[in-house]
Amino acid sequence: MSTQIHSRGEPTAPAAPAQSRLPWWALALPTLAFLVLLALVAQPGEAHAAVASPGLAGLLDRFGAFLGGLVG
């Protein structure tokens, strides 16, 4: 362990190591997303499109058009 010396020749205490703590969801959510995508890739024949009601389909179409207008 090395000590640093001030300009006046007095030794200083070594700096404490920086600690960073992640919240629980910072690891859980990416892990969950990875596992869901891995399951979809591993068994693509099991993934089926959901049957949506006409009202929901229209809402999703409008939302997609809105997002397309924002991006493009």
Side-chain angles (χ1 to χ4, degrees), residues 15-58:
Q19 294 181 359
S20 64
R21 301 196 72 182
L22 293 174
W24 65 269
W25 51 265
L27 292 174
L29 291 180
T31 303
L32 179 64
F34 174 77
L35 291 175
V36 167
L37 291 174
L38 183 64
L40 288 174
V41 169
Q43 298 178 355
E46 296 296 320
H48 299 288
V51 177
S53 64
L56 182 59

